[in-house]
Amino acid sequence: MSKTILEETIASPETPGSKHFPPFAPSDALEAEAAKRLAQFPDDQKRSAVLPILHHIQHHHGFLSGEAINWTAERVGIEPIKVVEVVTFYPGFRQTAPGKFHVRVCRTLSCAMGGSYELMDRLCEITGIDRDSLDPHHHPIAVSPCGTWSVEFAECLASCGTAPVCLVNDDFHEGVDADKAQGLLDGYSK
Amino acid sequence: MSEIQYLEGKQPDPREHRLIFKNVDRVGWDPSIDCYLNDGGYEQLKKAMDMDPKFITEEVKKSGLRGRGGAGFPTGIKWTFIPPNNTKPVYLICNCDESEPGTFKDRYIVHQDPHQLIEGMVISSFAVGAHVAYIYIREEFPEAAKILENAIEEAREKNFVGKNILGSGFDLEIYVHRGAAAYICGEETGLIESLEGKRAYPRIKPPYFPAALGLYMCPTIVNNVESLCHVKHIVDMGGEEYAKLGVARNTGTRILCVSGDVKKPGYFEVEVGKVTMRELLYDMCGGPKDGREFKAVIPGGSSSKILRCDETFKIKGKDGEETDLAFWDIPMDFDSLAACGSMAGSGGVIVMDDSRKMSWVLNNINQFYAHESCGQCTPCREGSTWMRKISDRLVAGEASPEDIETLESVAYQIDGKTICAFGEASSWPVEAIIAKYREELLADTKEENARKPNNPEAEAQRKFLQPG
Ligand SMILES: Cc1cc2nc3c(=O)[nH]c(=O)nc-3n(C[C@H](O)[C@H](O)[C@H](O)COP(=O)(O)O)c2cc1C
Ligand code: SF4
Ligand code: FES
């Protein structure tokens, strides 16, 4: 039987990065986080907790699978489609696994003047990512064949004075010109 | 108090006047509450708790403080828009989305001095009667989100946050809420929708201010990080004293963020209107890079209209007389930049030298807006993509002179015809770059391109157009 549009929308094809992330499963930590976030909003406004819960899941599981979306919807008490609409709107949410280390390079004006496109080219070269596979909608995320790295362009990361800048997972790096690309990745190897 | 020392290489410029950034890059400074308390932190909160909330709002009005998030609207006046007979809960939201390209000031406050923000927020919440406040922080500040959550816990232990703050009977909870990497969450009604757990679709106006109807359809005050920090200093100095900083109608200090083609980019907290473009870019930022000349400046975040460094503006004085104002003599304040046809916006000054091609600059900006449009209204969603496609062609050498006209007409069809100010934000840069650099853009076009198909489908159709 063919899939419904909703099923297609929440499908998460495997990527080389998938092996680095445990599949979604509810846990005590997730339940505790959900309870904490839900308590931050009025009783009739629990939908507000959707973003924080999704952040927690993405942080631990790398991306947001259909199971994660359904779990969140159920926990918050809203229809799954309302979670889907959030997941598909925000560039900060992913539906496929990134690499073990996910690099977000700022491409906006000051960083571009400072050489961020050259940085991106070099990162792709080193990690073996096809530069042309970078999709402006970040879907799917471009992952290296070995699954260790993934790259994405981000918009202004609010540090234009120290351009070019990037994030590697949650770590922020400033003044990273193309010549520093290898050193940047070496800091994370394996 | 002993002289404040700053980290080597990060000393403020002598022309700076540091209130908000007093502790940024300070030697021996850390974000802990002990450090803040040792420096006299939370004294203004104690003072404020003995004041009448209405009195604080009056002081903020007297201070003349104008919002530092972009629009420059007077903060005290915004606070009075809460309906007087309101019975619903009131919310305060701190806008820490900091996503306007070229802006990087809130970053340093939330990473290095979180308690200043919390103190400002507690005082502001007390003034407007909010018992729940949210800090909406962009997703790309993961470290800062942790720092703030930790700081709130520290403040709670000392009873600066929580129930019956300092025995005043006033309760306040502050929560940190992370966005998810969408620029439109900086727009206050988009932010509110996002905080409600939805797509960040900005709301139709009126009401013009969420102070009337905001979060959960309750009165909501949205203020920028820097604006809320200023409130603490207004309580400290008194509104009138604060208003002596800066120039008339443009009071206080503000942080200017300079990036791009200057020798020494960085942040500078100055009295509003007390430094000129020349002082900022030559004296404070060290001038252009060696062998280069300044060409153009975007003065208030990428949404503000670009200014040419060789421009002279006709400025109307109070008496209606017109005078000439050269670009280099523009004082960095709200009214002067507006009089020059641009805006002070978020304080993000982006500088370009003569090595930059305007078609490339335009295309970079267009890519940003095409990526970030929320897609709700057609002129913005379609227009921003059209503008990007045309400038893509322009940088690829595939545009024709007519394309510049088309680009300009698309921009004017967005401007003023959309739900939120993103429409202007995306079209003003295009309008201004075309108006000021038309010749340069035209030089990148070719007449013959008008007769060429510019995509594979058009190419396939071509055989039908050629005779024989
Ligand atoms: C497209 C768009 C993006 C915005 N981004 C931000 C932002 O990142 N940070 C911010 O404080 N204000 C931003 N604003 C302005 C807010 O809507 C709002 O005016 C501001 O937060 C009010 O605070 P203030 O009065 O203290 O300046 C943005 C506005 C628009 C139209
Ligand atoms: S102007 Fe653009 S960003 Fe604003 S609501 Fe319309 S589509 Fe969304
Ligand atoms: S342009 Fe890259 S941080 Fe602002």
Side-chain angles (χ1 to χ4, degrees), chain A residues 37 40-41 45 48 55 85-86 88-92 104 107 109-110 112-113 136 138 155-158 160-161, chain B residues 102 104 107 134 138-139 149 176-177 179-181 194-200 216 259 356 364 367-368 371-372:
Chain A
R37 296 298 172 181
Q40 295 179 351
F41 303 98
Q45 302 292 348
S48 283
H55 274 310
E85 94 183 21
V86 165
T88 53
F89 179 82
Y90 294 93
R104 290 195 271 177
R107 64 145 291 282
L109 190 54
S110 303
M113 290 198 275
H138 322 281
E155 298 298 346
C156 183
L157 293 173
C160 326
Chain B
F104 49 97
R107 156 185 287 282
Y134 296 98
R138 62 181 305 183
E139 184 263 346
E149 287 198 328
V176 177
H177 193 90
S194 177
L195 187 51
E196 292 185 355
K198 306 176 201 156
R199 289 185 163 194
Y216 313 132
S259 63
R356 306 295 170 186
N364 186 286
Q367 286 189 34
F368 175 80
H371 184 264
E372 298 298 330

Side-chain angles (χ1 to χ4, degrees), chain B residues 382-402:
Chain B
E382 300 297 316
S384 60
T385 307
W386 271 57
M387 295 195 300
R388 197 212 71 216
K389 285 185 178 170
I390 296 175
S391 61
D392 277 347
R393 287 214 294 280
L394 187 62
V395 289
E398 289 165 4
S400 68
E402 283 158 44

Side-chain angles (χ1 to χ4, degrees), chain B residues 184 202 373-377 380 418-420 422-423:
Chain B
I184 198 59
S373 167
C374 85
Q376 240 194 137
C377 24
C380 170
T418 58
I419 292 175
C420 86
F422 183 105

Side-chain angles (χ1 to χ4, degrees), chain B residues 67-71 73 75 78 95 97-100 183-184 186-188 222-224 227 421-422:
Chain B
R68 303 296 194 241
F73 192 83
T75 304
K78 187 194 282 189
N95 189 342
D97 199 55
E98 188 150 69
S99 44
E100 177 72 23
Y183 166 65
I184 198 59
E187 199 275 351
E188 56 193 4
V222 184
N223 274 127
N224 172 260
S227 312
F422 183 105

Side-chain angles (χ1 to χ4, degrees), chain B residues 26-48:
Chain B
R26 188 169 163 182
V27 172
W29 187 261
D30 65 58
S32 74
I33 197 164
D34 293 332
C35 186
Y36 191 68
L37 287 171
N38 280 337
D39 194 52
Y42 287 108
E43 285 305 318
Q44 306 320 317
L45 173 63
K46 291 176 191 160
K47 203 162 131 189

